[in-house]
Amino acid sequence: MAQSRPRFLVYTRTTAYRHDSIPEGVRAFRELGAEHGFDVEATEDPRALERGLDRFAAVVFLSTSGDVLTPEGREALRSLLRGGGGFMGVHAAACTEYGWPYYGELLRARFDRHPALQPGVLTIEDRDHPATGHLGATWAFTDEWYDFRASPRDAVRVLASADETSYEGGGMGADHPLVWCHEHDGGRVFYTALGHTCEAYDDPAFRAHLLGGLRHVARSQP
């Protein structure tokens, strides 16, 4: 019997700042699905999560912001992870659900601030991962270079970090993770702070980065 195609839910609800790049991100995920044999549904409707997430391999929070989940949606996300499903956060996913402690534990970091949009360099700390295996020792990129309230390093596997000497206004110093993964409540979690600009979602290296994150949280090779 043929295996069913993996299915991902890309969730884009915002109740605070809204990124102009969200439509480009949705397009990129859909195109990745078409290229690599998985299905993508995108929604901003919190009722879509209330109906349950069992049919999805993972949920992607794509630059969500503010409070985006109902109590029923929160429980559905918990159930997904406890059933072995995955969670992937992109960029402003770290600016989401500040008042829900479970989400903070899930992501392992909370957004604090960022300097002006500008070019900079990431240090690739771990290339033995599908999200970073295609990269060299460093990665030149343009983004907002998020600072977090505290480094998550002690609780996660850091894949890439910001080189604050490569741009102006960094606030975390030498220990500045930007991409990481870990396991939480039975499910896999992947987060990348990158993805502010529309142009990023047409960048082949960034698309491969997103695909690797999906592969990780889905425990598969989509």
Side-chain angles (χ1 to χ4, degrees):
M1 179 182 296
Q3 292 184 337
S4 60
R5 289 158 60 98
R7 183 177 296 272
F8 296 89
L9 180 66
V10 176
Y11 189 50
T12 58
R13 188 183 184 200
T14 58
T15 61
Y17 183 82
R18 185 168 184 83
H19 280 77
D20 292 339
S21 60
I22 287 174
E24 298 304 315
V26 170
R27 176 181 58 81
F29 278 107
R30 284 178 168 152
E31 290 176 355
L32 286 170
E35 293 166 11
H36 296 278
F38 59 90
D39 295 322
V40 172
E41 294 184 19
T43 186
E44 299 188 2
D45 185 354
R47 293 172 296 182
L49 282 80
E50 293 175 0
R51 292 191 286 268
L53 300 170
D54 292 347
R55 63 198 183 97
F56 296 105
V59 171
V60 180
F61 276 31
L62 173 62
S63 284
T64 49
S65 68
D67 294 328
V68 299
L69 296 171
T70 63
E72 294 82 3
R74 288 177 173 181
E75 185 54 41
L77 184 58
R78 283 195 193 98
S79 295
L80 174 70
L81 287 158
R82 289 172 181 170
F87 176 88
M88 178 170 166
V90 179
H91 197 50
C95 309
T96 299
E97 292 287 330
Y98 282 103
W100 186 27
Y102 181 92
Y103 188 83
E105 295 166 3
L106 167 70
L107 207 63
R108 295 294 186 185
R110 298 285 197 180
F111 169 79
D112 184 29
R113 58 173 292 278
H114 67 76
L117 178 72
Q118 60 190 299
V121 174
L122 291 92
T123 299
I124 308 305
E125 298 191 25
D126 186 340
R127 296 182 64 204
D128 188 23
H129 189 279
T132 49
H134 62 293
L135 301 168
T138 60
W139 186 15
F141 207 76
T142 296
D143 217 289
E144 292 180 318
W145 306 104
Y146 275 10
D147 286 344
F148 302 97
R149 293 177 179 176
S151 170
R153 183 176 296 275
D154 290 344
V156 301
R157 174 184 171 187
V158 176
L159 305 177
S161 57
D163 176 0
E164 289 194 0
T165 67
S166 68
Y167 64 93
E168 298 294 329
M172 292 184 68
D175 184 19
H176 190 160
L178 283 180
V179 183
W180 60 81
C181 62
H182 70 107
E183 294 199 8
H184 179 73
D185 210 9
R188 284 187 175 183
V189 178
F190 172 86
Y191 173 74
T192 178
L194 306 177
H196 173 77
T197 69
C198 294
E199 294 80 7
Y201 294 93
D202 284 320
D203 180 337
F206 186 59
R207 282 188 172 226
H209 180 61
L210 296 176
L211 180 63
L214 290 175
R215 286 175 167 163
H216 176 80
V217 297
R219 305 174 191 267
S220 65
Q221 294 293 316

